[in-house]
Amino acid sequence: MEEMEVVKSLAALAQPLRLRVFRALVIVGKEGLTPGTMSDALGIPAATLSFHLKELMNAGLVTQERASRHLIYRAAYDRMNSVLGYLSENCCQGAQCLDETTAACKH
């Protein structure tokens, strides 16, 4: 993944409503959500939600699929995983970052 793609993704997530929308899509999984369901669940007006969904799609973090008369939005897990991979690539210069005791306490 290129640095500018990572920056674009992180910039999209650096807005509170977009972060909430993306997290909701990650939580629901592959089933995805319709805009109406997201609007109701998150308390975001439809026009505002539409704007933020377009920004997330532009950053490659969300996909859109038409199912009959409905639009289904899903988190783009491949993109999310690529961003996370880029951020953690060469973490701790290849050494284990946390010892087993510390890692166990984090859970």
Side-chain angles (χ1 to χ4, degrees):
M1 175 166 253
E2 296 294 321
E3 183 177 271
M4 289 311 296
E5 293 174 322
V6 174
V7 170
K8 189 175 188 178
S9 294
L10 293 175
L13 294 172
Q15 200 286 337
L17 287 179
R18 285 195 290 270
L19 183 59
R20 286 178 55 209
V21 169
F22 183 72
R23 290 190 69 205
L25 292 171
V26 169
I27 290 167
V28 75
K30 293 180 182 181
E31 180 181 320
L33 294 169
T34 64
T37 302
M38 278 188 278
S39 180
D40 292 344
L42 299 173
I44 301 172
T48 302
L49 178 62
S50 178
F51 170 78
H52 290 298
L53 285 168
K54 286 179 187 175
E55 291 296 311
L56 290 167
M57 286 179 53
N58 186 44
L61 292 166
V62 169
T63 63
Q64 177 192 73
E65 177 186 333
R66 182 165 292 283
S68 182
R69 299 178 315 163
H70 302 284
L71 293 174
I72 307 294
Y73 289 89
R74 293 181 182 87
Y77 293 102
D78 55 340
R79 177 68 167 228
M80 178 186 73
N81 288 331
S82 293
V83 170
L84 293 172
Y86 180 89
L87 293 173
S88 60
E89 184 177 49
N90 302 319
C91 180
C92 302
Q93 299 178 7
Q96 186 174 356
C97 295
L98 299 174
D99 63 38
E100 291 178 25
T101 304
T102 306
C105 291
K106 298 281 183 182
H107 291 82

